[in-house]
Amino acid sequence: MGSVGKWIGGGLGFVMGGPLGAVLGFLVGSMVDNTTIRTSTYTSSMQRTAPGDFGMSLLVLVAAMMKADGTVVKSELDYVKQFFVRQFGQSSAQEALVMLRDILKQEIPVRDVCLQISRNMDYSSRLQLLHLLFNISLADGAANASEIAMIEEISGYLGIASSDYVSIRNMFVPETNSAYKILEIEPTATDEEVKKAYRRMAMKYHPDKVSHLGEEFRKTADEKFKSVNEAYEKIKKERNIN
């Protein structure tokens, strides 16, 4: 399988047990010689998520999303690979795809897996998981209804606030007044409320919020931050806000 340092080099903690551990158990056994495994089985939501826990959680949720319509075709794997290559580089993408193909063969108890993640992963990292799922789902340029529905289901199980889900969804699947929805406000908001919403959302989605996940995952957070800025600029232009 080669080096797995990029994906789980930060250590594995809560994913070693519970439903996630059951899905990943056959993989983890072949990895222990190549990485440092943390021995803790619980991570408080007040603590920062380890890169390894995040990376493996992402792969399991990507597999669940890809299986949403009952079939996984080669073109989907190709699009996922292209996304991984763009985001993480050729070497990391290749080892992630090897693991993903194995995970896709497993039965994934989506609710139980998500509840385990929700109990042990900090909120900013969960928002980043959601953003990446949308990014991967739309890697081919088209929104798959069954995959979007699965992402919404996953979002609920992860304990993501509905306003945050709608905000991130509108970054990928624009709706009427999407700029306002990204900022989590109504079109009737005053100019001052728009400015306050922008500052709040810029802080919530600032890449530094997930810097603990490592550079590979942190750089994908730039996209959320950019989307917030673009939404704000669009509203400013429409309203002639200085």
Side-chain angles (χ1 to χ4, degrees), residues 170 175-182 185-187 234 238:
N170 273 268
E175 302 170 326
T176 302
N177 296 320
S178 61
Y180 289 94
K181 290 177 180 177
I182 289 172
I185 53 176
E186 297 294 332
K234 180 178 180 180
E238 291 174 350

Side-chain angles (χ1 to χ4, degrees), residues 68-181:
D69 60 1
T71 59
V72 178
V73 297
K74 183 178 181 300
S75 60
E76 288 180 312
L77 282 171
D78 288 342
Y79 284 125
V80 172
K81 181 178 180 180
Q82 290 168 17
F83 170 81
F84 283 157
V85 169
R86 288 196 305 271
Q87 298 290 352
F88 310 119
Q90 185 68 44
S91 177
S92 291
Q94 189 58 44
E95 64 185 48
L97 259 293
V98 171
M99 289 187 281
L100 179 60
R101 288 191 181 98
D102 285 337
I103 294 170
L104 283 166
K105 300 173 184 176
Q106 310 300 308
E107 289 296 324
I108 301 173
V110 177
R111 177 181 179 276
D112 293 339
V113 163
C114 290
L115 291 178
Q116 181 180 355
I117 293 171
S118 179
R119 287 192 299 268
N120 295 282
M121 184 178 290
D122 63 276
Y123 193 73
S124 293
S125 296
R126 280 179 274 155
L127 289 176
Q128 187 63 7
L129 277 178
L130 198 66
H131 188 271
L132 284 168
L133 289 177
F134 270 112
N135 211 328
I136 293 169
S137 176
L138 275 72
D140 60 352
N144 181 298
S146 59
E147 290 184 349
I148 299 299
M150 175 55 71
I151 295 175
E152 183 173 7
E153 182 178 345
I154 287 171
S155 177
Y157 291 145
L158 288 178
I160 301 297
S162 59
S163 56
D164 287 332
Y165 169 76
V166 171
S167 174
I168 294 177
R169 185 185 67 200
N170 273 268
M171 296 177 186
F172 296 92
V173 188
E175 302 170 326
T176 302
N177 296 320
S178 61
Y180 289 94
K181 290 177 180 177

Side-chain angles (χ1 to χ4, degrees), residues 25-45:
F26 68 101
L27 282 173
V28 172
S30 65
M31 296 175 186
V32 292
D33 293 333
N34 297 312
T35 189
T36 301
I37 303 296
R38 291 190 291 115
T39 57
S40 62
T41 57
Y42 176 78
T43 302
S44 168
S45 59

Side-chain angles (χ1 to χ4, degrees), residues 57-71:
S57 296
L58 173 63
L59 286 178
V60 172
L61 294 182
V62 168
M65 180 187 70
M66 292 178 67
K67 296 174 70 168
D69 60 1
T71 59

